[in-house]
């Protein structure tokens, strides 16, 4: 095990479980951002050398400049679109995340959402719970196996989703920044073209300006009245107003969302729809996955500062 000679000051932008505090305490001087007042921030400004945050945290360039000793931002999770990476690079601040440890959990959740939306699991549960079965059978749902799956963003998570699709005898197509010659899945140049040729459209892309509003009215029209949309990427990728309209008017059959444009605020119109499945940005949130992310984040921090202690 690596032990640090000094105890660098670490600012916690997100709460961490007691077990992680216990593991970090021998190595770092911990400060909870939520507990700091103005005078404490001034006193710590020249001392804090690292920040720990989660994938929903926002750290702007202006915030970074308030901590002139800052060397590292450690993210518990995959997403880093809330962090101004360009500003961090210009200020010489290293940013790290934990992309590998949650891939399988997120892919599992994607399939749970897709199955739930396609087979109307939540609606059927309520149908039984509310006594409607006593009055007649539930309406037929959509077939799942053997259908056409489209993936927007064939990175680690998209690839894990595609592997699972093979077990359901699905044909697989994708789009993204560029084709991947190492895979046999069909490539489409645009999201709209992909949507027009699949039954299920799964969004696994990263957030940011390049993908903002990528899933718009035209894409939803192309997906069609038996199409199902799943988003486990970022809420900003889907035009929520266009999606609500498409669901209300049956332009698409259903949607399943784990991410939203203004979390944790979800539009009431979206929550009122019967043809949606909504989860609270929890795709990576398994007990085992969270533990692995915390351990990986801790490792990043300790290894970085251990290296910094070595003589030049």
């Amino acid at each position: 095990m690596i032990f640090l000679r000094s105890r660098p000051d670490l600012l916690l932008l997100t709460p961490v479980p007691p077990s992680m505090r216990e593991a970090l305490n021998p190595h770092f001087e911990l400060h909870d951002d939520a507990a700091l007042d103005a005078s404490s921030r001034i006193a710590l400004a020249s001392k804090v050398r690292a920040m720990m945050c989660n994938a929903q945290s926002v750290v702007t360039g202006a915030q970074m400049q308030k901590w002139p000793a800052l060397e590292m931002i450690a993210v518990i999770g995959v997403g880093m679109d809330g962090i101004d990476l360009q500003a961090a690079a210009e200020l010489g601040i290293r940013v790290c995340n934990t992309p590998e440890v949650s891939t399988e959990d997120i892919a599992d959740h994607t399939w749970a959402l897709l199955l739930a939306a396609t087979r109307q699991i939540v609606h059927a549960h309520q149908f039984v719970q509310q006594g409607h079965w006593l009055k007649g059978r539930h309406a037929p749902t959509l077939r799942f196996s053997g259908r056409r799956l489209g993936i927007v963003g064939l990175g680690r998570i998209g690839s894990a989703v595609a592997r699972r699709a093979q077990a359901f005898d699905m044909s697989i197509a994708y789009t993204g920044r560029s084709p991947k010659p190492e895979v046999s899945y069909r490539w489409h140049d645009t999201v709209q073209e992909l949507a027009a040729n699949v039954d299920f459209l799964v969004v696994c892309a990263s957030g940011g300006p390049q993908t903002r509003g990528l899933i718009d009215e035209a894409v939803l029209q192309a997906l069609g009245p038996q199409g199902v949309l799943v988003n486990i990427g970022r809420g900003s990728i889907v035009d929520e107003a266009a999606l609500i309209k498409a669901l209300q008017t049956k332009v698409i059959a259903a949607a399943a969302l784990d991410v939203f444009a203004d979390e944790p605020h979800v539009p009431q119109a979206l929550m009122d729809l019967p043809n949606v499945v909504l989860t609270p940005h929890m795709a990576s949130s398994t007990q085992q996955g969270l533990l692995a992310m915390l351990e990986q984040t801790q490792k990043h921090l300790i290894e970085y500062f251990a290296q910094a202690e070595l003589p030049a």
Side-chain angles (χ1 to χ4, degrees):
M1 180 179 287
I2 299 172
F3 290 95
L4 301 178
R5 292 193 298 273
S6 61
R7 290 180 72 219
D9 289 83
L10 172 61
L11 184 65
L12 302 176
L13 298 184
T14 185
V16 297
S19 59
M20 188 171 192
R21 296 186 76 97
E22 187 178 336
L24 288 169
N25 261 322
H27 306 281
F28 298 95
E29 193 73 41
L30 304 181
H31 307 280
D32 292 288
D33 182 68
L36 297 180
D37 56 23
S39 60
S40 300
R41 289 179 188 279
I42 292 170
L44 283 172
S46 62
K47 296 180 181 179
V48 168
R49 296 176 64 191
M51 288 180 178
M52 182 184 290
C53 60
N54 62 29
Q56 289 78 52
S57 299
V58 175
V59 185
T60 65
Q63 286 174 281
M64 295 175 201
Q65 290 176 342
K66 292 179 180 178
W67 306 95
L70 188 62
E71 299 173 41
M72 185 178 190
I73 299 173
V75 181
I76 305 169
V78 180
M80 298 191 294
D81 43 298
I83 298 172
D84 189 335
L85 297 176
Q86 182 176 341
E90 290 171 356
L91 293 167
I93 299 168
R94 181 183 174 190
V95 182
C96 64
N97 63 347
T98 58
E100 298 89 0
V101 297
S102 56
T103 296
E104 302 304 324
D105 289 331
I106 296 172
D108 287 348
H109 194 77
T110 302
W111 281 93
L113 287 174
L114 184 53
L115 272 162
T118 305
R119 298 306 307 269
Q120 298 182 25
I121 300 300
V122 176
H123 187 272
H125 169 78
Q126 294 169 342
F127 185 85
V128 175
Q129 209 173 40
Q130 295 166 8
H132 297 307
W133 194 13
L134 299 171
K135 304 170 187 177
R137 292 181 60 81
H138 190 280
T141 63
L142 297 172
R143 177 172 287 173
F144 192 78
S145 294
R147 307 296 295 283
R148 302 171 299 168
L149 178 73
I151 299 172
V152 182
L154 196 69
R156 275 184 296 268
I157 295 167
S159 297
V161 169
R163 288 197 305 273
R164 285 157 174 76
Q166 294 171 0
F168 289 92
D169 297 321
M170 289 185 177
S171 64
I172 303 165
Y174 73 104
T175 192
R177 292 190 183 95
S178 59
K180 295 182 179 292
E182 68 273 18
V183 302
S184 59
Y185 314 138
R186 292 191 321 280
W187 161 264
H188 289 280
D189 290 323
T190 68
V191 178
Q192 188 171 338
E193 179 185 302
L194 175 66
N197 287 278
V198 299
D199 302 300
F200 309 138
L201 188 66
V202 177
V203 180
C204 301
S206 302
Q210 290 184 323
T211 58
R212 186 173 299 278
L214 185 65
I215 309 301
D216 58 13
E217 184 178 359
V219 171
L220 297 169
Q221 287 279 355
L223 185 57
Q226 287 207 327
V228 177
L229 174 73
V230 175
N231 186 12
I232 50 84
R234 280 293 176 267
S236 60
I237 301 173
V238 174
D239 180 336
E240 279 186 356
L243 176 60
I244 291 167
K245 181 180 176 182
L247 289 164
Q248 288 172 336
T249 58
K250 305 297 176 63
V251 166
I252 66 171
L257 311 171
D258 185 53
V259 289
F260 305 88
D262 183 25
E263 297 176 3
H265 307 288
V266 179
Q268 187 64 46
L270 193 56
M271 292 193 287
D272 289 342
L273 288 164
N275 50 345
V276 296
V277 178
L278 310 174
T279 57
H281 202 147
M282 59 177 287
S284 64
S285 187
T286 65
Q287 294 175 15
Q288 295 83 357
L290 180 58
L291 178 61
M293 283 190 282
L294 293 172
E295 289 175 347
Q296 187 66 52
T297 304
Q298 176 186 323
K299 182 180 178 184
H300 285 323
L301 285 162
I302 292 172
E303 288 183 349
Y304 172 82
F305 284 103
Q307 187 67 30
E309 288 183 344
L310 295 175

